[in-house]
Amino acid sequence: WARLKALPDAALVDALGLPDLTDRVEARKELVRRGEKARDLVLTKFAAGEVPADGRLAAAGVLTAGWNGGVEKLFRGLLNDPSPDLRRVAVEGLALNAPKGDEKAFEPLLGALADPHPAVRRA
């Protein structure tokens, strides 16, 4: 994975969509290690729909590790994503990172209790 970890940020974001799950996990860990600049690139690409379908869950992991207002806004939108896995991660991210008493997070989380997927409701 040394070659993977040596990639520039943009190529590492693209690596989140590699076919091998272990490669995606290693790319996620390296992007988290690189900090805010890498997180912001992931956020920009995710919001623009430029993260490969297979990489969206790994990208959400990068974003969860670097929580900020932009990530919170994206995660509120992900509560309506077709993927139950992304909806579950969005619920978990909001529940763990939103400030106590934050009504912007409370209402969407309350709505997630009616999600058709049990893992989303459990989260």
Side-chain angles (χ1 to χ4, degrees), residues 36 39-40 43 63-74 97:
E36 291 179 11
R39 184 241 10 242
D40 291 345
L43 181 58
L63 297 173
T64 300
W67 195 263
N68 69 6
V71 173
E72 181 177 344
K73 181 179 176 184
L74 177 73
N97 294 293

Side-chain angles (χ1 to χ4, degrees), residues 7-59:
L7 291 172
D9 290 351
L12 199 55
V13 174
D14 293 340
L16 292 171
L18 290 172
D20 187 289
L21 175 62
T22 305
D23 290 341
R24 293 194 304 264
V25 168
E26 291 301 318
R28 177 190 51 83
K29 290 190 313 190
E30 180 61 20
L31 285 162
V32 168
R33 189 194 67 72
R34 292 184 187 185
E36 291 179 11
K37 183 180 170 193
R39 184 241 10 242
D40 291 345
L41 180 60
V42 172
L43 181 58
T44 300
K45 286 188 164 220
F46 200 115
E50 297 174 6
V51 174
D54 287 344
R56 295 177 76 221
L57 197 56

Side-chain angles (χ1 to χ4, degrees), residues 91 106-118 120-123:
V91 167
F106 177 76
E107 290 298 325
L109 288 173
L110 189 59
L113 291 174
D115 193 278
H117 199 277
V120 177
R121 291 192 308 269
R122 179 186 49 78

Side-chain angles (χ1 to χ4, degrees), residues 75-88:
F75 274 39
R76 282 196 312 268
L78 288 177
L79 293 173
N80 298 312
D81 195 88
S83 166
D85 289 328
L86 277 173
R87 292 194 312 270
R88 177 187 51 79

